[in-house]
Amino acid sequence: MKKASFLLINLIGIFTFGQKIEVKITDSNNTNLSYVEIVATQKDKKYSSISTENGNFALQLPENGIYKLEIFKD
């Protein structure tokens, strides 16, 4: 029964907090891409983040689902 309870608690946590995306963005030469904008779109909702100098970014999404990810660099 402990396994079932633990699994249920974990699933509730997933549904409550949504998804978190953490990625390092690089180009085809494996060079970090600094200060690029990452946009996650789901239906009519958009969430965005800017990568750090090292190309890292994190984006907390409020709900689970399928998102379209786009990367914009000037």
Side-chain angles (χ1 to χ4, degrees), residues 24-27 30-34 52-56 73:
K24 179 172 216 150
I25 300 176
T26 60
D27 63 12
N30 209 25
T31 303
N32 297 336
L33 293 178
S34 305
T52 64
E53 184 176 343
N54 297 326
N56 297 317
K73 178 154 177 73

Side-chain angles (χ1 to χ4, degrees), residues 15-34:
F15 291 117
T16 303
F17 297 111
Q19 302 176 33
K20 184 172 186 178
I21 302 170
E22 293 180 290
V23 177
K24 179 172 216 150
I25 300 176
T26 60
D27 63 12
S28 59
N29 296 321
N30 209 25
T31 303
N32 297 336
L33 293 178
S34 305

Side-chain angles (χ1 to χ4, degrees), residues 2-61:
K2 283 185 178 182
K3 274 188 178 179
S5 297
F6 180 71
L7 179 61
L8 180 60
I9 290 169
N10 280 340
L11 288 175
I12 290 171
I14 290 170
F15 291 117
T16 303
F17 297 111
Q19 302 176 33
K20 184 172 186 178
I21 302 170
E22 293 180 290
V23 177
K24 179 172 216 150
I25 300 176
T26 60
D27 63 12
S28 59
N29 296 321
N30 209 25
T31 303
N32 297 336
L33 293 178
S34 305
Y35 310 112
V36 296
E37 182 180 17
I38 298 88
V39 178
T41 305
Q42 183 186 48
K43 298 179 185 172
D44 61 344
K45 298 175 188 172
K46 290 188 178 188
Y47 308 94
S48 66
S49 180
I50 304 292
S51 67
T52 64
E53 184 176 343
N54 297 326
N56 297 317
F57 87 94
L59 185 59
Q60 182 70 45
L61 301 170

